[in-house]
Amino acid sequence: MKSLRTALLIVSALLLARPSFSQETTAQQYKDRYLTLVKNLGTSGVGIETLLDRWMNDYPDDPDPMEYKFIYYLAKSQNTQIVPRDAKTYLGNEPVLSLTDSLGNPVNYFQDVVYDDEIFGQAIKTIEDAITKYPDRLDWRFYKATALSDYEKESPDMASAELKSIIDYNFTQHPKWTYPDSEVDSDFFDAGIQEYCVSFFRTASTASREAFREISLKMLNYEPNNVLFLDNVGSYFVSMNDHKTAYKYYNKVLKLKKDDLTAIRNCILIARRDKDVKNEKKYLQMMVTYGETEADRTSAKMRLDAYNKK
């Protein structure tokens, strides 16, 4: 029964992809057919490429088939596997399964996506062609950066270069960005870039941490007092155990925004690691004053009181 149902779905998909010669197919009819195919067969199912080719041929300026063609190639290029790795986390993710080998050593298994390089290249070319036609589609630029980041994994060189290009374009060309269901302002743009920074930091490889630093510094080239990215650079230097430089960035943040909890928390952390009671007391007092929750403020006060009793 299952094989019969699958066969019927494929036949249905092929019929849906066939053009109707009785009248001109509208863009909305193409979209309706596409959505039906995706619902039944997934984004890379049988008949979808043919339908998208016809749609793009009939409506070369319609952005929808351009985006769907990228999604088609990207999905077709991917294959999900479960792989063992000698690590506690992989790309910032926890294992989906943990076992022990015959010697009692832990073996962690992670979900990983592998790519067909040729088809992935088609996906990137497709989104690049779309961006050339509609350069102010910020969602498409982020689609490309995300695809490159997922493809490169622990060495996001191309993704980092793409994000730097987006940043340069934003601050030099001042585009009227468009993004579905959103109004793009400076906060929205910053938040989008920060999502990639957080992802690179969580990946925790040498190359991804460097990408995290470089992208943050690129933003600071244009906005030197942006506390979000000043905090990022401080966090980079904490991860490198360069506490002196980290303090430099965090203290700049606190001059600009005295209640910045990222800077306060990390300065407390640095002071504890360095066994620097004087600085820890300084930043604990700031946490007592500016802590986000009652628990934060109470915990800081208790530790501060303990130091003061000595």
Side-chain angles (χ1 to χ4, degrees):
M1 289 297 292
K2 184 175 180 181
S3 60
L4 176 60
R5 182 175 181 276
T6 301
L8 289 173
L9 284 173
I10 292 174
V11 171
S12 175
L14 291 172
L15 290 173
L16 283 166
R18 289 171 57 188
S20 172
F21 295 104
S22 59
Q23 58 184 0
E24 181 182 357
T25 305
T26 67
Q28 185 59 49
Q29 287 173 325
Y30 273 121
K31 187 168 186 175
D32 291 342
R33 292 182 182 185
Y34 170 78
L35 293 175
T36 300
L37 287 175
V38 169
K39 181 180 179 181
N40 289 331
L41 299 174
T43 55
S44 60
V46 175
I48 288 180
E49 184 177 18
T50 300
L51 177 66
L52 291 174
D53 285 342
R54 288 171 176 156
W55 185 356
M56 293 173 73
N57 184 66
D58 288 351
Y59 298 92
D61 294 326
D62 189 337
D64 282 345
M66 301 178 193
E67 178 176 325
Y68 300 152
K69 192 73 171 289
F70 162 72
I71 293 171
Y72 168 81
Y73 282 131
L74 185 63
K76 196 173 181 64
S77 73
Q78 296 172 330
N79 181 33
T80 301
Q81 299 179 348
I82 303 297
V83 296
R85 285 190 172 270
D86 184 20
K88 292 182 179 180
T89 62
Y90 175 56
L91 302 177
N93 298 315
E94 299 293 325
V96 296
L97 180 66
S98 295
L99 301 173
T100 55
D101 62 19
S102 59
L103 299 177
N105 299 313
V107 180
N108 291 325
Y109 292 83
F110 298 87
Q111 182 172 291
D112 195 15
V113 178
V114 295
Y115 290 83
D116 180 297
D117 292 341
E118 183 177 351
I119 300 175
F120 179 79
Q122 289 178 285
I124 295 302
K125 183 180 185 307
T126 299
I127 199 64
E128 286 177 341
D129 290 344
I131 291 169
T132 298
K133 201 157 195 173
Y134 295 99
D136 293 351
R137 283 288 299 262
L138 183 59
D139 55 328
W140 287 358
R141 289 180 180 264
F142 282 165
Y143 285 171
K144 181 184 175 185
T146 298
L148 290 171
S149 176
D150 291 344
Y151 176 78
E152 294 181 295
K153 301 176 183 177
E154 293 178 301
S155 300
D157 298 332
M158 290 187 292
S160 178
E162 181 65 23
L163 289 165
K164 292 174 192 173
S165 175
I166 294 170
I167 293 167
D168 284 335
Y169 185 77
N170 178 70
F171 288 104
T172 62
Q173 303 303 311
H174 308 288
K176 295 182 178 179
W177 290 121
T178 60
Y179 199 103
D181 303 319
S182 298
E183 181 178 344
V184 180
D185 57 14
S186 60
D187 289 339
F188 185 95
F189 183 83
D190 288 358
I193 297 297
Q194 178 66 351
E195 284 190 26
Y196 292 98
C197 289
V198 170
S199 175
F200 293 153
F201 191 82
R202 289 181 66 244
T203 298
S205 67
T206 300
S208 67
R209 286 283 171 90
E210 185 61 21
F212 168 79
R213 184 187 71 88
E214 289 180 0
I215 292 166
S216 298
L217 288 174
K218 171 67 79 170
M219 287 295 293
L220 291 173
N221 284 340
Y222 293 105
E223 297 181 327
N225 291 331
N226 189 316
V227 296
L228 181 63
F229 298 100
L230 286 169
D231 273 332
N232 281 359
V233 181
S235 297
Y236 168 82
F237 284 108
V238 171
S239 73
M240 300 299 290
N241 291 315
D242 184 348
H243 293 173
K244 181 179 179 180
T245 307
Y247 268 137
K248 172 186 170 184
Y249 280 93
Y250 288 137
N251 284 324
K252 182 174 181 178
V253 169
L254 293 170
K255 286 180 180 178
L256 296 165
K257 185 184 178 187
K258 60 185 178 181
D259 61 347
D260 187 276
L261 293 177
T262 298
I264 294 171
R265 287 194 178 100
N266 284 337
C267 284
I268 292 172
L269 175 64
I270 293 170
R272 287 182 185 173
R273 287 181 178 177
D274 292 345
K275 302 187 187 304
D276 183 348
V277 174
K278 181 180 178 181
N279 264 329
E280 185 178 355
K281 289 170 67 175
K282 171 185 172 181
Y283 295 108
L284 282 171
Q285 183 59 60
M286 296 177 74
M287 182 62 75
V288 170
T289 304
Y290 301 114
E292 185 175 14
T293 67
E294 184 64 30
D296 286 338
R297 295 189 293 273
T298 300
S299 176
K301 188 174 188 308
M302 289 176 62
R303 189 170 179 91
L304 188 60
D305 288 345
Y307 276 133
N308 289 335
K309 288 178 181 178
K310 292 180 179 180

